[in-house]
Amino acid sequence: MSSNSHLTAPTQFVEANGIRYAYRRFGATNGTPLVFLQHFRGGMDNWDPLVTDGLAADRPVILFNYAGVASSTGENATTVDGMADHVAIFVKALGLTIVDVLGFSIGGFVAQSLAHRYPDLVRRLVLVGTGPRNGEINPDPKVLQVAGNPMPAEDDFLYLFFSPSEVSQAAGRAFWARRHERQDQDPPSSLETLKAQAAAIGEWREPRGERHAYLKEIRQPTLVVNGHDDIMVPTINSFHLQQHIPNAQLIVYPDSGHGSQFQYPDLFVAHTSLFLDKA
Amino acid sequence: MSSNSHLTAPTQFVEANGIRYAYRRFGATNGTPLVFLQHFRGGMDNWDPLVTDGLAADRPVILFNYAGVASSTGENATTVDGMADHVAIFVKALGLTIVDVLGFSIGGFVAQSLAHRYPDLVRRLVLVGTGPRNGEINPDPKVLQVAGNPMPAEDDFLYLFFSPSEVSQAAGRAFWARRHERQDQDPPSSLETLKAQAAAIGEWREPRGERHAYLKEIRQPTLVVNGHDDIMVPTINSFHLQQHIPNAQLIVYPDSGHGSQFQYPDLFVAHTSLFLDKA
């Protein structure tokens, strides 16, 4: 059971409230499981095997698809809180009582909502390429346009997730190759997923009470990670997360963008392991 | 030679241009030496043995006193560039051709000047609790008043270097005990050192050309570290350093201040070792 890896772990399903949530579990048998929450439109195959297998060396890793995404059934939630509700249902359906959570981009929004609204379910929080509710926005229309391409292609990810430098672009192509190593890839997500998650992002951009107030109520130890210039969720948002979450560490990597964890997989695994394994 | 430690390494002297620079060298025999550049008014005994010995496990560590500080002779420089000139003279007098540099607070200003103006002398740069020339200032007059106390006491360091939380204050007291473990402590620095370094800080606060332009010319891989709320050099300055130095990684620790590296010595050593040892 613990011998599986990113490339070999079978896709499994757990049913709750009539929804079949797709997931894969691999890595160490013991330790607090680490649940990965994926980016806009993404599924289980959009992670980097170097990151998932690297972190799975010392703990169980669980990848999954939100309700309605790719191989998961059900309706896509149209708010971040609704997405977090699905995560809570999924985690409980697996029989788990507490997990660590790594959320990337919109997955980081969901992770914040989960940690805030289901505090007993989350031990530690890793927020990557993400930002607070009502955070700072990049007004460049090209980002939205590329992120909404009907079938996201390599060039789209190179633009959205990496810096324009040669080194970063080469790292992006290497990531793209790794991300396709698995043979039985999940189906892509649907147009419904795009619309629902776009609505959830829109709602997350709205104020709710005093700005950043909910961050002060996140009690979990938190690691915030981003690249030097994130064009999807501007990097200053990561600084704001660190400044307002009571127990948060911030790491920003050089010459990188939204997907810095895929540009520096070894360093990201080392930093995140140090954080998760701390007594 | 390599069996010495923070507590046992003898104070040595090297002479250049009529100045006797005091230093201590300990740790591994091989590897790029790491030179520590100290904070306002501080000397070799103001470092944390857990940090210096931790980093000395895998490289030679060199502590030293700027010209005019404590056991070093000579006149105190009154500009940051002047202080960096002394560091360059000292490093060359030791017969070293390239070093890593860890600068804390004003030592971080000096480290920037050294890396910028003596690029061949510096391999990698660690900037702790510091900021760029013409950076953001904390206008609270209490900080200046406490930092200028005739004989800096434990309570002054607890206020200036740590956060007000119980946990941070306790970590500060533990640091204070560790910092006094060595028996043959260096003499304290003089009023002349206070005046000269205050002048150097004042000059560093002045603009020189386009803001942050020199940072873009710092070519060394750089690690920037600070605490969550640094009242001496506001934490946003660390974000600005990361944003403007071309190859810089940023780490900000939770619930901490100017002296976060003394609050999290083990984590700081782990993070800094990962950075310095990277291929």
Side-chain angles (χ1 to χ4, degrees), chain B residues 21-32:
Chain B
Y21 296 96
Y23 71 99
R24 297 178 193 145
R25 177 175 174 148
F26 50 95
T29 308
N30 296 320
T32 306

Side-chain angles (χ1 to χ4, degrees), chain A residues 163-181:
Chain A
S163 96
S165 79
E166 265 183 52
V167 169
S168 186
Q169 291 289 303
R173 287 188 291 272
F175 157 69
W176 190 254
R178 292 195 300 273
R179 166 248 181 283
H180 284 94
E181 277 170 18

Side-chain angles (χ1 to χ4, degrees), chain B residues 48-66:
Chain B
D48 183 343
L50 284 182
V51 167
T52 55
D53 285 336
L55 289 168
D58 292 317
R59 77 210 83 243
V61 153
I62 298 173
L63 314 184
F64 104 115
N65 291 333
Y66 306 111

Side-chain angles (χ1 to χ4, degrees), chain A residues 228 235-236 239 242-243 247-254 267 270-271 274, chain B residues 228 235-236 239 242-243 247-254 267 270-271 274:
Chain A
H228 171 263
T235 305
I236 190 66
F239 186 75
Q242 197 278 331
Q243 289 287 293
N247 184 356
Q249 181 188 130
L250 170 68
I251 299 183
V252 180
Y253 294 117
L267 193 55
H271 284 150
L274 271 173
Chain B
H228 171 263
T235 305
I236 190 66
F239 186 74
Q242 197 279 331
Q243 289 287 294
N247 184 357
Q249 180 189 129
L250 170 67
I251 299 183
V252 180
Y253 294 117
L267 193 56
H271 284 151
L274 271 172

